[in-house]
Amino acid sequence: TQGGRRIVIVFDEAHLLDTSQLEELRLLSNSNIYSSAECLLILVGQLSLKHKLHLASYLALEQRITVKYFLPPMTYKETRSYVVHEPEYLW
């Protein structure tokens, strides 16, 4: 943390990261910055990300992931409900 702030790093479309970029993430996960309890690394991607992380070359990174969640395919009705959802606490 810096000044009491938490560090959050989000990679959207993480399934598009190449070998060298995933290696950089693995190295980051070894660093003192990441090992702090106040740092969170979030990878968001399509199902191909799950398959990619199971490859031997990414096993060290995959083993550092403590929480995994896979959103299953949704029906049309579920998708519509998800998209039009408007929480009361909009910014």
Side-chain angles (χ1 to χ4, degrees):
T1 68
Q2 187 165 340
R5 295 182 179 169
R6 292 189 172 124
I7 300 169
V8 178
I9 305 170
V10 180
F11 288 89
D12 194 10
E13 302 289 336
H15 57 279
L16 299 175
L17 296 173
D18 64 27
T19 304
S20 64
Q21 293 165 328
L22 287 169
E23 176 62 13
E24 289 293 325
L25 288 179
R26 186 190 68 75
L27 293 172
L28 177 64
S29 71
N30 285 338
S31 73
N32 290 334
I33 294 171
Y34 181 78
S35 62
S36 164
E38 301 298 323
C39 185
L40 180 63
L41 177 63
I42 300 173
L43 302 179
V44 180
Q46 296 180 9
L47 187 58
S48 59
L49 176 63
K50 176 182 176 182
H51 299 301
K52 186 182 281 190
L53 291 175
H54 279 90
L55 297 175
S57 55
Y58 303 115
L59 192 55
L61 176 60
E62 199 271 339
Q63 290 174 340
R64 289 179 174 83
I65 299 172
T66 55
V67 177
K68 299 173 188 167
Y69 181 78
F70 299 99
L71 185 64
M74 294 185 283
T75 65
Y76 173 81
K77 183 177 178 181
E78 291 168 331
T79 303
R80 180 169 164 63
S81 177
Y82 179 81
V83 170
V84 299
H85 178 72
E86 295 181 7
E88 295 178 18
Y89 52 88
L90 290 176
W91 323 94

